[in-house]
Amino acid sequence: MLAFLLRRVATALAMLLVVGTIIFSMLAIVPGDPAELLLSTGGGSASEEAIRNLRLEMGLDRPLLQQYLTFLGDSLRFDFGTSIVDGSSIAEAIALRLPRTLEIIAAGAVLALLLSIPAGTLAGLRAGGRFDGITSGLNALLTSIPGFVLGTLFIYVFAQVLGVLPAGGYVAFAEDPAQHLQMLILPAVTVALHLSTIIFRMTRASVLEMRGHDWVRTATAKGLSRGLVVRRHILRNALGPVITVVGLQLGILLGSTVLVEFVYNWPGLSGLLVTAVEQRDYPTVRAIILTVAAIFIGINLVIDILYSLLDPRIALQ
Amino acid sequence: MTALPLAARRSRRLPKLPKRMILPAVLLALLIVTPFAAPLLTPYDPVQISVRDRLAAPSWEHWLGQDEFGRDRLARVLYGGQVSLTVAFVATSIACVIGTLFGLIGAYFRGPFEFVTTRLADVVLCFPPILLALLVVTLFGPGADTLVAVLSILYFPAFARIAFSEALRVSALDFVEASRALGTPSHRIVLKTILPNIAGPVSVQYSLTAAAAITIESGLSFLGLGVVPPAPSWGQMIRGARAFMNQDPLGILIPCVALTLTIYAINFFCDRLRDTLDPKGNAGGKDVTSVPAPGRAPVQEEADVIASVRDLRLELRHPKGAVDVIEDVSLTLRANQCTALVGESGSGKSLTSLAIMGLLPGAIRQADGALHLRRKQGGMVDLGALGPKALEDVRGNDVAMIFQEPMTSLNPIHKVGAQMVEAILSHRKMPRAEARSRAIALLELVGINEAARRFDGYPHEMSGGMRQRVMIAMALTCEPRLLIADEPTTALDVTIQAEIIELLQKLRQDYADGLSLLFISHNLGIVSEIADRVVVMYSGQVVEEGPAQQVLTDPHHPYTRALMESMPSAHADLHSARGDRLQAISGTPPLPDARPSGCSFRDRCPMALPACAEARPPLFASADGSRAARCIRAPEAQEAA
């Protein structure tokens, strides 16, 4: 078990290094002078002086290897430098906004699990039945609606037509808890519905597969109640693959939440990121993406460890 | 080309479109073609601004109305579709070609190529797709070209991985090995056999990717970082109409519907394609075990009868009508007796035993007959009259079962001990610690060394023989009166087989309350060692039964005789006879829906008479009632005996 843990942590760290290297080298492999490229907007080129300044600021005048090592070292200390647009600290901006993004994701993930695991289990147990038909059909439809479309339609229905929920915005929890939660509902539900389509599909397939195994028949033959058979011998086994998928999806969610936040004007990482992309503020974009990738790798590390606790055979492989 | 075996050639021919694919294919084609027919469908220019007609309602000239700049909305949604679809399909196609090539190279050269191919996907997966896209947009600026480049980079590793694993799988197939042995050049093998065979999974991935690419393209355009205005795209239309959704809901609805419908059509196509390529993936069938039907009349049984099966008939439910798989099977199982149920695979012996456990698969229905079981608290109960709860109480408590496959019959993720304890606790109220010591004692009883340590072990830490011992211990946890063993040694190797049989023998002798053992096997060698009575089944019917000694030395039914003759005579490999196929007679048992008229064995019977075809022979009982055989020659043989 310890060997397994160490191996997994080592893999995660190696992944992190690869990701950092790729992010770093993207700027290096861009044809032409990166400083010039970042300052060119809509065909017009920047002044010689501005380019020279930016080159100095980003350290682009130093040898590549030195740049690379500095980048890695700074990243390890969460020192992402300053924005090339307004000179503010990138690390501070991320520290301010990341928790808001994580809040949406956490709320959405909890809702999604509550919704899709029971539904997926029931659909899998009664595959081919009416419940399965309705939920699977609904699922196929929901899968086809991109998150930002769902969000836009929700705003129209719940904020404009029914007027029961705010169309978007953000108030700090400390300032007004009730309103904070009210504003959290639509973004969280949007994220949850999107995520639950995938969890539902996976749970259903996994339950469908597990229920046909010999040990389920053994459990029934022992005289366990149906509920126990389902819980301990179908669902427990089915959860492993589901958890892995949830882990992968949470990572992808870190990205697609950008759109949901944008739709609802939720000032998480997305606002920062979209503005930075528009202004071609490469250091900021790079820092956000590195942070998200690190979180993603971290989540998957946790998921792998969880999975190995659920299924003792994993640690042996 | 002639050297290529049939399977390879068949896969190259274009398959006929299956019925289930017609609807999704037509829907998808319609949604793809329509945007490109835009010039035929609308005379308007999608970027022609007319401020006077801002947010105009639908009219005869402008069927879908006009947007916030007075542009014709129908034209915008159609031309916007062109942009979205082109970006998505061009990017997906590039990713598909490059990725497949990578995968094939990885599978062909292995070594470092394999590493790169498989690890590439892991790395790309670390970046949420939309973030990677944004990173590239920062460097290159927004635009359709950037999008195509980003999406192809994003998705080609997935193709590489699929092509790689499929190519490995396919090249291990017999016909590919064969054509390699015949000297077909490698590039021809790849082009003519491997490529067509990986086409299925790759095309599923293709449609998945296309749907994802459309989603990302529209998302980026929605953020204003994708397709550059004024060129129309669906994401941009939603972005533009958002500010006016209050006055003009149609503005957001139209692109939303177009986008959703297109993605839905692709997903729908993809699902059906996957089902068509891999039919077992969506295998339905309910696992709900069917409950036995109540018997006709209460039976008076002698006190030593533990279970009785009367005139059991089981039907397989089938779309084309029900087929009888078990016909008129009757069995009487007594205390202290081992009854062997013998026959080839498919004779119905396992189904009969599952019926006694109330564990019939959902597709099988008890059409007739009665199943009675003696409960520990005295009387016989009709299994059919018990509700699901009462049935759960009977299972494991009054009757227990050991299955053929010890490797898969234990749940791999629970400790062995926990699986025994849950069986004890579901029938007996006792503290967990007591259940634990009871389980450990049982593990010792079945001959497991270091039982206390094994109790906390997992099934995967044990050998097959040890797992079967655990299964036996588990079956005994609640001291059942009847133990059903369904080919308990078939999956084990020879020396272990003998040990398990010995263990079962010992348990029978030591059992206080008189255990009744129903032993299912096709191995007459083992049966002769353990059984008191033998019941021979063929094609869903009992064809002969009687005391083991008599039946095995003087069979009255030609089928029993054939089974005997198929048995390896040398004692050396007595136990290794996995004789699923009879050596003494040709052919296999008829399928339930193809049984011949009259005697169902007559097609394979060396002694068949014309009369055998006329009517199904009854079970002729011998004068003293101890034996019976379902053969018109049986009375003759019984008299001679």
Side-chain angles (χ1 to χ4, degrees), chain A residues 22 26 37 144 156 160 211 214 217-218 220-223 226 232-233 237 251 263 273 280 289 296 312-313 316, chain B residues 123 125 128 131 135 138-139 141 242 246 249 264 285 392 395-396 403 408-409 411 414 419 422 427 458 460:
Chain A
I22 289 179
M26 279 189 91
L37 183 88
S144 309
Y156 178 64
Q160 305 285 344
R211 71 172 204 193
D214 285 351
R217 189 179 57 181
T218 307
T220 313
K222 283 191 292 197
R226 182 73 187 148
R232 281 195 206 149
H233 294 277
N237 293 68
V263 169
L273 183 63
R280 312 191 76 171
I289 290 177
F296 176 65
R313 289 170 303 171
L316 293 177
Chain B
V123 171
L125 268 176
L131 291 192
L135 188 72
T138 320
L139 288 174
R242 246 160 56 91
N246 215 2
Y264 182 80
E392 279 162 12
R395 288 190 199 122
F403 298 96
T408 56
S409 291
N411 192 330
H414 294 298
Q419 296 187 56
E422 69 179 357
H427 295 294
Y458 287 97
H460 62 82

Short mmCIF file of all heavy atoms in Angstrom, two decimals, chain A residues 22 26 37 144 156 160 211 214 217-218 220-223 226 232-233 237 251 263 273 280 289 296 312-313 316, chain B residues 123 125 128 131 135 138-139 141 242 246 249 264 285 392 395-396 403 408-409 411 414 419 422 427 458 460:
data_model
loop_
_atom_site.label_atom_id
_atom_site.label_comp_id
_atom_site.label_asym_id
_atom_site.label_seq_id
_atom_site.Cartn_x
_atom_site.Cartn_y
_atom_site.Cartn_z
N ILE A 22 5.36 22.06 -20.56
CA ILE A 22 4.59 22.34 -21.78
C ILE A 22 4.12 23.79 -21.79
O ILE A 22 4.25 24.50 -22.79
CB ILE A 22 3.40 21.37 -21.90
CG1 ILE A 22 3.91 19.98 -22.21
CG2 ILE A 22 2.43 21.85 -22.97
CD1 ILE A 22 2.84 18.95 -22.32
N MET A 26 5.35 26.54 -24.60
CA MET A 26 4.43 27.06 -25.62
C MET A 26 4.84 28.46 -26.06
O MET A 26 4.75 28.81 -27.22
CB MET A 26 3.01 27.07 -25.07
CG MET A 26 2.39 25.70 -25.18
SD MET A 26 0.66 25.70 -24.80
CE MET A 26 0.00 25.95 -26.41
N LEU A 37 4.58 39.57 -30.23
CA LEU A 37 3.32 38.88 -30.50
C LEU A 37 2.24 39.26 -29.49
O LEU A 37 1.10 39.56 -29.83
CB LEU A 37 3.57 37.36 -30.44
CG LEU A 37 2.39 36.49 -30.78
CD1 LEU A 37 2.36 36.25 -32.27
CD2 LEU A 37 2.46 35.18 -30.03
N SER A 144 -26.70 16.86 -24.54
CA SER A 144 -26.53 17.61 -25.77
C SER A 144 -26.63 19.12 -25.58
O SER A 144 -26.46 19.87 -26.52
CB SER A 144 -27.57 17.17 -26.80
OG SER A 144 -27.56 15.78 -26.93
N TYR A 156 -33.20 32.96 -18.53
CA TYR A 156 -34.43 33.41 -19.17
C TYR A 156 -35.65 32.93 -18.39
O TYR A 156 -36.55 33.71 -18.07
CB TYR A 156 -34.50 32.93 -20.62
CG TYR A 156 -35.78 33.33 -21.30
CD1 TYR A 156 -36.08 34.69 -21.50
CD2 TYR A 156 -36.73 32.39 -21.68
CE1 TYR A 156 -37.27 35.08 -22.06
CE2 TYR A 156 -37.92 32.77 -22.27
CZ TYR A 156 -38.19 34.12 -22.46
OH TYR A 156 -39.37 34.51 -23.01
N GLN A 160 -35.99 35.91 -15.79
CA GLN A 160 -36.80 36.81 -16.60
C GLN A 160 -38.29 36.48 -16.53
O GLN A 160 -39.10 37.32 -16.19
CB GLN A 160 -36.35 36.79 -18.06
CG GLN A 160 -34.88 37.08 -18.26
CD GLN A 160 -34.57 38.56 -18.07
OE1 GLN A 160 -35.46 39.38 -18.09
NE2 GLN A 160 -33.29 38.87 -17.90
N ARG A 211 -24.15 -6.20 -11.73
CA ARG A 211 -25.25 -7.02 -11.24
C ARG A 211 -25.24 -8.40 -11.88
O ARG A 211 -25.88 -9.32 -11.39
CB ARG A 211 -26.59 -6.33 -11.50
CG ARG A 211 -26.96 -6.33 -12.97
CD ARG A 211 -28.36 -5.83 -13.21
NE ARG A 211 -28.81 -6.38 -14.47
CZ ARG A 211 -29.86 -5.98 -15.14
NH1 ARG A 211 -30.61 -5.04 -14.65
NH2 ARG A 211 -30.19 -6.54 -16.27
N ASP A 214 -21.05 -13.23 -10.75
CA ASP A 214 -21.36 -14.42 -9.95
C ASP A 214 -21.53 -14.10 -8.47
O ASP A 214 -22.35 -14.70 -7.79
CB ASP A 214 -20.24 -15.46 -10.10
CG ASP A 214 -20.32 -16.17 -11.45
OD1 ASP A 214 -21.32 -15.96 -12.16
OD2 ASP A 214 -19.39 -16.91 -11.79
N ARG A 217 -24.98 -13.36 -7.32
CA ARG A 217 -25.79 -14.57 -7.15
C ARG A 217 -25.43 -15.24 -5.82
O ARG A 217 -26.31 -15.68 -5.08
CB ARG A 217 -25.55 -15.52 -8.32
CG ARG A 217 -26.49 -16.69 -8.35
CD ARG A 217 -26.21 -17.58 -9.54
NE ARG A 217 -24.82 -18.04 -9.52
CZ ARG A 217 -24.29 -18.82 -10.47
NH1 ARG A 217 -25.02 -19.20 -11.49
NH2 ARG A 217 -23.04 -19.20 -10.40
N THR A 218 -24.13 -15.28 -5.51
CA THR A 218 -23.71 -15.87 -4.23
C THR A 218 -24.36 -15.12 -3.07
O THR A 218 -24.88 -15.74 -2.14
CB THR A 218 -22.18 -15.78 -4.07
OG1 THR A 218 -21.56 -16.34 -5.22
CG2 THR A 218 -21.72 -16.52 -2.84
N THR A 220 -27.10 -13.38 -3.03
CA THR A 220 -28.52 -13.68 -2.96
C THR A 220 -28.72 -15.08 -2.38
O THR A 220 -29.61 -15.30 -1.56
CB THR A 220 -29.16 -13.60 -4.36
OG1 THR A 220 -28.73 -12.40 -4.98
CG2 THR A 220 -30.67 -13.62 -4.28
N ALA A 221 -27.88 -16.02 -2.81
CA ALA A 221 -28.00 -17.39 -2.33
C ALA A 221 -27.74 -17.49 -0.83
O ALA A 221 -28.26 -18.37 -0.16
CB ALA A 221 -27.04 -18.30 -3.08
N LYS A 222 -26.93 -16.57 -0.29
CA LYS A 222 -26.68 -16.57 1.14
C LYS A 222 -27.89 -16.12 1.93
O LYS A 222 -27.93 -16.24 3.14
CB LYS A 222 -25.52 -15.60 1.47
CG LYS A 222 -24.16 -16.13 1.15
CD LYS A 222 -23.06 -15.27 1.74
CE LYS A 222 -22.97 -13.91 1.10
NZ LYS A 222 -21.68 -13.23 1.38
N GLY A 223 -28.86 -15.53 1.22
CA GLY A 223 -30.06 -15.07 1.90
C GLY A 223 -30.00 -13.62 2.32
O GLY A 223 -30.78 -13.17 3.15
N ARG A 226 -32.51 -8.00 -0.46
CA ARG A 226 -32.26 -7.35 -1.75
C ARG A 226 -31.48 -6.05 -1.56
O ARG A 226 -30.55 -5.75 -2.31
CB ARG A 226 -33.60 -7.09 -2.44
CG ARG A 226 -33.51 -6.47 -3.80
CD ARG A 226 -33.01 -7.45 -4.83
NE ARG A 226 -32.78 -6.78 -6.11
CZ ARG A 226 -31.84 -7.15 -6.97
NH1 ARG A 226 -31.08 -8.18 -6.71
NH2 ARG A 226 -31.69 -6.51 -8.10
N ARG A 232 -24.14 -3.68 -1.01
CA ARG A 232 -22.78 -4.19 -0.78
C ARG A 232 -22.19 -4.90 -1.98
O ARG A 232 -20.98 -4.89 -2.15
CB ARG A 232 -22.79 -5.18 0.39
CG ARG A 232 -22.82 -4.48 1.71
CD ARG A 232 -22.45 -5.45 2.81
NE ARG A 232 -23.04 -5.01 4.06
CZ ARG A 232 -23.43 -5.83 5.01
NH1 ARG A 232 -23.30 -7.13 4.86
NH2 ARG A 232 -23.94 -5.36 6.11
N HIS A 233 -23.01 -5.54 -2.77
CA HIS A 233 -22.43 -6.39 -3.80
C HIS A 233 -22.63 -5.87 -5.22
O HIS A 233 -22.08 -6.43 -6.15
CB HIS A 233 -22.95 -7.82 -3.65
CG HIS A 233 -22.49 -8.46 -2.38
ND1 HIS A 233 -21.27 -9.05 -2.25
CD2 HIS A 233 -23.08 -8.55 -1.15
CE1 HIS A 233 -21.13 -9.51 -1.01
NE2 HIS A 233 -22.21 -9.19 -0.32
N ASN A 237 -19.25 -2.24 -5.62
CA ASN A 237 -18.34 -2.60 -6.72
C ASN A 237 -18.44 -1.62 -7.87
O ASN A 237 -17.47 -1.35 -8.55
CB ASN A 237 -18.66 -4.01 -7.22
CG ASN A 237 -18.35 -5.07 -6.20
OD1 ASN A 237 -19.02 -5.16 -5.17
ND2 ASN A 237 -17.33 -5.86 -6.46
N GLY A 251 -11.97 17.67 -13.20
CA GLY A 251 -10.91 18.42 -13.87
C GLY A 251 -11.43 19.19 -15.06
O GLY A 251 -11.17 20.39 -15.22
N VAL A 263 -21.57 33.22 -17.77
CA VAL A 263 -23.00 33.38 -17.98
C VAL A 263 -23.65 34.08 -16.80
O VAL A 263 -24.47 34.98 -16.95
CB VAL A 263 -23.68 32.02 -18.22
CG1 VAL A 263 -25.19 32.14 -18.18
CG2 VAL A 263 -23.24 31.42 -19.54
N LEU A 273 -9.66 35.15 -16.20
CA LEU A 273 -9.08 34.45 -17.34
C LEU A 273 -9.52 35.07 -18.66
O LEU A 273 -8.69 35.33 -19.54
CB LEU A 273 -9.47 32.97 -17.27
CG LEU A 273 -8.90 32.08 -18.35
CD1 LEU A 273 -7.39 32.03 -18.25
CD2 LEU A 273 -9.46 30.67 -18.21
N ARG A 280 -4.43 39.55 -23.87
CA ARG A 280 -3.23 38.77 -24.16
C ARG A 280 -2.21 38.91 -23.04
O ARG A 280 -1.03 39.12 -23.29
CB ARG A 280 -2.66 39.16 -25.52
CG ARG A 280 -3.78 39.18 -26.56
CD ARG A 280 -3.28 39.30 -27.94
NE ARG A 280 -2.72 38.04 -28.40
CZ ARG A 280 -2.36 37.86 -29.66
NH1 ARG A 280 -2.47 38.83 -30.54
NH2 ARG A 280 -1.89 36.71 -30.04
N ILE A 289 -3.80 28.60 -15.66
CA ILE A 289 -3.86 27.26 -16.22
C ILE A 289 -2.97 26.30 -15.43
O ILE A 289 -3.35 25.16 -15.16
CB ILE A 289 -3.52 27.30 -17.72
CG1 ILE A 289 -4.69 28.00 -18.41
CG2 ILE A 289 -3.31 25.91 -18.28
CD1 ILE A 289 -4.52 28.20 -19.86
N PHE A 296 -6.19 19.76 -10.73
CA PHE A 296 -6.70 18.59 -11.44
C PHE A 296 -5.87 17.34 -11.12
O PHE A 296 -6.39 16.28 -10.80
CB PHE A 296 -6.69 18.87 -12.93
CG PHE A 296 -7.11 17.71 -13.76
CD1 PHE A 296 -8.40 17.22 -13.68
CD2 PHE A 296 -6.22 17.10 -14.62
CE1 PHE A 296 -8.79 16.15 -14.45
CE2 PHE A 296 -6.60 16.03 -15.40
CZ PHE A 296 -7.89 15.55 -15.31
N PRO A 312 -9.27 -3.28 -3.07
CA PRO A 312 -7.91 -3.57 -2.64
C PRO A 312 -7.03 -4.12 -3.76
O PRO A 312 -5.81 -4.13 -3.62
CB PRO A 312 -8.10 -4.62 -1.54
CG PRO A 312 -9.44 -5.20 -1.78
CD PRO A 312 -10.25 -4.10 -2.37
N ARG A 313 -7.62 -4.59 -4.84
CA ARG A 313 -6.79 -5.17 -5.91
C ARG A 313 -6.00 -4.11 -6.66
O ARG A 313 -4.98 -4.38 -7.25
CB ARG A 313 -7.67 -5.93 -6.90
CG ARG A 313 -8.22 -7.22 -6.34
CD ARG A 313 -9.25 -7.78 -7.27
NE ARG A 313 -10.32 -6.81 -7.52
CZ ARG A 313 -11.26 -6.96 -8.42
NH1 ARG A 313 -11.26 -8.01 -9.19
NH2 ARG A 313 -12.20 -6.05 -8.56
N LEU A 316 -2.35 -3.42 -5.95
CA LEU A 316 -1.40 -4.48 -6.30
C LEU A 316 -0.90 -4.37 -7.73
O LEU A 316 0.15 -4.90 -8.07
CB LEU A 316 -2.07 -5.85 -6.12
CG LEU A 316 -2.40 -6.21 -4.69
CD1 LEU A 316 -3.11 -7.54 -4.63
CD2 LEU A 316 -1.13 -6.26 -3.86
N VAL B 123 -1.14 13.41 -20.73
CA VAL B 123 -0.71 14.79 -20.54
C VAL B 123 -1.79 15.76 -21.00
O VAL B 123 -2.16 16.68 -20.28
CB VAL B 123 0.61 15.05 -21.27
CG1 VAL B 123 0.95 16.53 -21.24
CG2 VAL B 123 1.73 14.23 -20.64
N LEU B 125 -4.85 15.27 -21.15
CA LEU B 125 -5.99 15.18 -20.25
C LEU B 125 -5.83 16.06 -19.02
O LEU B 125 -6.81 16.39 -18.37
CB LEU B 125 -6.19 13.73 -19.81
CG LEU B 125 -7.15 12.91 -20.66
CD1 LEU B 125 -7.17 11.47 -20.17
CD2 LEU B 125 -8.55 13.49 -20.62
N PRO B 128 -7.85 20.96 -18.76
CA PRO B 128 -9.24 21.05 -19.16
C PRO B 128 -9.28 21.63 -20.58
O PRO B 128 -8.59 22.64 -20.83
CB PRO B 128 -9.85 21.99 -18.14
CG PRO B 128 -8.98 21.86 -16.94
CD PRO B 128 -7.61 21.58 -17.46
N LEU B 131 -9.51 25.35 -21.31
CA LEU B 131 -8.39 26.15 -20.83
C LEU B 131 -7.21 26.09 -21.80
O LEU B 131 -6.56 27.10 -22.07
CB LEU B 131 -7.95 25.69 -19.45
CG LEU B 131 -8.94 25.96 -18.33
CD1 LEU B 131 -8.30 25.72 -16.99
CD2 LEU B 131 -9.46 27.38 -18.40
N LEU B 135 -5.45 29.16 -23.73
CA LEU B 135 -4.01 29.41 -23.71
C LEU B 135 -3.51 29.69 -25.12
O LEU B 135 -2.74 30.62 -25.35
CB LEU B 135 -3.31 28.18 -23.12
CG LEU B 135 -1.82 28.29 -22.83
CD1 LEU B 135 -1.57 29.17 -21.63
CD2 LEU B 135 -1.22 26.91 -22.59
N THR B 138 -4.66 33.00 -26.49
CA THR B 138 -3.86 34.12 -25.98
C THR B 138 -2.64 34.36 -26.86
O THR B 138 -2.26 35.49 -27.14
CB THR B 138 -3.35 33.81 -24.55
OG1 THR B 138 -4.38 33.18 -23.84
CG2 THR B 138 -2.94 35.09 -23.84
N LEU B 139 -2.03 33.26 -27.28
CA LEU B 139 -0.81 33.40 -28.07
C LEU B 139 -1.09 33.79 -29.51
O LEU B 139 -0.38 34.58 -30.09
CB LEU B 139 -0.03 32.08 -28.03
CG LEU B 139 0.65 31.79 -26.70
CD1 LEU B 139 1.27 30.41 -26.70
CD2 LEU B 139 1.71 32.85 -26.40
N GLY B 141 -4.23 34.76 -30.88
CA GLY B 141 -5.39 35.60 -31.16
C GLY B 141 -6.54 34.74 -31.61
O GLY B 141 -6.35 33.62 -32.09
N ARG B 242 -28.19 37.79 -25.66
CA ARG B 242 -28.37 37.72 -24.21
C ARG B 242 -28.89 39.03 -23.62
O ARG B 242 -29.77 39.05 -22.76
CB ARG B 242 -27.04 37.38 -23.54
CG ARG B 242 -27.02 36.05 -22.87
CD ARG B 242 -25.61 35.58 -22.68
NE ARG B 242 -24.78 36.52 -21.95
CZ ARG B 242 -24.62 36.53 -20.63
NH1 ARG B 242 -25.26 35.67 -19.89
NH2 ARG B 242 -23.83 37.41 -20.05
N ASN B 246 -35.02 39.65 -22.71
CA ASN B 246 -36.28 40.04 -22.14
C ASN B 246 -37.29 40.45 -23.22
O ASN B 246 -38.43 39.99 -23.24
CB ASN B 246 -36.03 41.21 -21.20
CG ASN B 246 -36.95 41.13 -20.01
OD1 ASN B 246 -37.73 40.17 -19.91
ND2 ASN B 246 -36.87 42.11 -19.15
N PRO B 249 -37.05 36.91 -26.69
CA PRO B 249 -36.58 35.57 -26.32
C PRO B 249 -36.20 34.70 -27.52
O PRO B 249 -35.35 33.83 -27.41
CB PRO B 249 -37.74 34.96 -25.55
CG PRO B 249 -38.91 35.83 -25.83
CD PRO B 249 -38.41 37.18 -26.19
N TYR B 264 -27.24 16.88 -30.30
CA TYR B 264 -28.08 15.72 -30.01
C TYR B 264 -28.02 14.72 -31.16
O TYR B 264 -27.88 13.51 -30.95
CB TYR B 264 -29.52 16.16 -29.76
CG TYR B 264 -30.43 15.01 -29.40
CD1 TYR B 264 -30.45 14.50 -28.10
CD2 TYR B 264 -31.24 14.41 -30.36
CE1 TYR B 264 -31.25 13.44 -27.76
CE2 TYR B 264 -32.05 13.34 -30.02
CZ TYR B 264 -32.06 12.86 -28.73
OH TYR B 264 -32.85 11.80 -28.39
N GLY B 285 -32.29 -7.28 -20.28
CA GLY B 285 -32.55 -8.45 -19.46
C GLY B 285 -32.53 -8.08 -18.00
O GLY B 285 -31.62 -7.44 -17.53
N GLU B 392 -35.88 -14.95 1.24
CA GLU B 392 -34.53 -14.55 1.67
C GLU B 392 -34.14 -15.28 2.95
O GLU B 392 -32.98 -15.62 3.16
CB GLU B 392 -34.49 -13.03 1.92
CG GLU B 392 -34.33 -12.22 0.66
CD GLU B 392 -34.73 -10.76 0.84
OE1 GLU B 392 -34.93 -10.31 2.00
OE2 GLU B 392 -34.86 -10.06 -0.18
N ARG B 395 -33.16 -18.96 1.99
CA ARG B 395 -31.87 -19.06 1.31
C ARG B 395 -30.73 -18.90 2.29
O ARG B 395 -30.70 -17.96 3.08
CB ARG B 395 -31.73 -17.95 0.26
CG ARG B 395 -32.58 -18.14 -0.93
CD ARG B 395 -32.16 -17.11 -2.00
NE ARG B 395 -33.22 -16.95 -2.96
CZ ARG B 395 -33.83 -15.79 -3.23
NH1 ARG B 395 -33.45 -14.70 -2.62
NH2 ARG B 395 -34.78 -15.76 -4.14
N GLY B 396 -29.78 -19.79 2.23
CA GLY B 396 -28.62 -19.69 3.09
C GLY B 396 -28.88 -20.28 4.46
O GLY B 396 -27.97 -20.66 5.17
N PHE B 403 -21.12 -22.81 -5.85
CA PHE B 403 -21.15 -22.67 -7.31
C PHE B 403 -19.89 -23.22 -7.96
O PHE B 403 -18.90 -23.52 -7.30
CB PHE B 403 -21.36 -21.22 -7.69
CG PHE B 403 -22.66 -20.67 -7.19
CD1 PHE B 403 -22.73 -19.95 -6.01
CD2 PHE B 403 -23.83 -20.90 -7.91
CE1 PHE B 403 -23.93 -19.46 -5.56
CE2 PHE B 403 -25.03 -20.41 -7.46
CZ PHE B 403 -25.08 -19.68 -6.27
N THR B 408 -14.87 -16.45 -9.27
CA THR B 408 -15.72 -15.28 -9.45
C THR B 408 -16.91 -15.25 -8.49
O THR B 408 -17.70 -14.32 -8.52
CB THR B 408 -16.28 -15.24 -10.89
OG1 THR B 408 -16.96 -16.47 -11.13
CG2 THR B 408 -15.17 -15.07 -11.90
N SER B 409 -17.04 -16.29 -7.66
CA SER B 409 -18.23 -16.36 -6.81
C SER B 409 -18.09 -15.56 -5.53
O SER B 409 -19.06 -15.39 -4.79
CB SER B 409 -18.55 -17.81 -6.48
OG SER B 409 -18.98 -18.48 -7.64
N ASN B 411 -17.04 -11.89 -3.76
CA ASN B 411 -16.89 -10.50 -4.13
C ASN B 411 -15.45 -10.05 -3.89
O ASN B 411 -14.96 -10.12 -2.77
CB ASN B 411 -17.86 -9.64 -3.31
CG ASN B 411 -17.97 -8.23 -3.85
OD1 ASN B 411 -17.02 -7.71 -4.42
ND2 ASN B 411 -19.12 -7.62 -3.67
N HIS B 414 -14.54 -7.30 -0.94
CA HIS B 414 -14.80 -7.45 0.49
C HIS B 414 -13.90 -8.54 1.05
O HIS B 414 -13.58 -9.51 0.36
CB HIS B 414 -16.26 -7.84 0.72
CG HIS B 414 -17.23 -6.76 0.35
ND1 HIS B 414 -17.24 -5.54 0.96
CD2 HIS B 414 -18.21 -6.73 -0.57
CE1 HIS B 414 -18.20 -4.79 0.43
NE2 HIS B 414 -18.79 -5.48 -0.52
N GLN B 419 -17.63 -11.41 4.24
CA GLN B 419 -18.66 -12.04 3.41
C GLN B 419 -19.32 -13.21 4.13
O GLN B 419 -20.47 -13.54 3.86
CB GLN B 419 -18.05 -12.49 2.07
CG GLN B 419 -17.55 -11.31 1.26
CD GLN B 419 -17.10 -11.69 -0.14
OE1 GLN B 419 -17.86 -12.27 -0.90
NE2 GLN B 419 -15.87 -11.35 -0.48
N GLU B 422 -21.62 -11.52 7.07
CA GLU B 422 -22.89 -10.93 6.65
C GLU B 422 -23.94 -12.02 6.42
O GLU B 422 -25.13 -11.80 6.63
CB GLU B 422 -22.73 -10.04 5.41
CG GLU B 422 -22.39 -10.79 4.14
CD GLU B 422 -22.27 -9.88 2.93
OE1 GLU B 422 -22.50 -8.67 3.06
OE2 GLU B 422 -21.94 -10.40 1.86
N HIS B 427 -29.19 -14.02 9.14
CA HIS B 427 -30.13 -15.06 9.59
C HIS B 427 -30.18 -15.21 11.10
O HIS B 427 -31.13 -15.75 11.65
CB HIS B 427 -29.75 -16.40 8.98
CG HIS B 427 -29.89 -16.44 7.49
ND1 HIS B 427 -31.11 -16.34 6.86
CD2 HIS B 427 -28.98 -16.53 6.50
CE1 HIS B 427 -30.93 -16.38 5.56
NE2 HIS B 427 -29.64 -16.49 5.31
N TYR B 458 -8.32 -11.08 1.50
CA TYR B 458 -9.22 -10.87 0.35
C TYR B 458 -9.20 -12.11 -0.54
O TYR B 458 -8.21 -12.85 -0.56
CB TYR B 458 -8.78 -9.66 -0.44
CG TYR B 458 -9.09 -8.36 0.26
CD1 TYR B 458 -8.14 -7.70 1.01
CD2 TYR B 458 -10.37 -7.81 0.17
CE1 TYR B 458 -8.43 -6.52 1.66
CE2 TYR B 458 -10.67 -6.63 0.82
CZ TYR B 458 -9.70 -5.98 1.56
OH TYR B 458 -10.00 -4.82 2.21
N HIS B 460 -8.63 -12.42 -3.61
CA HIS B 460 -7.56 -12.50 -4.59
C HIS B 460 -6.25 -12.99 -4.00
O HIS B 460 -5.29 -13.24 -4.72
CB HIS B 460 -7.38 -11.16 -5.31
CG HIS B 460 -6.97 -10.03 -4.41
ND1 HIS B 460 -5.67 -9.82 -4.03
CD2 HIS B 460 -7.68 -9.08 -3.80
CE1 HIS B 460 -5.61 -8.77 -3.24
NE2 HIS B 460 -6.83 -8.31 -3.07
#
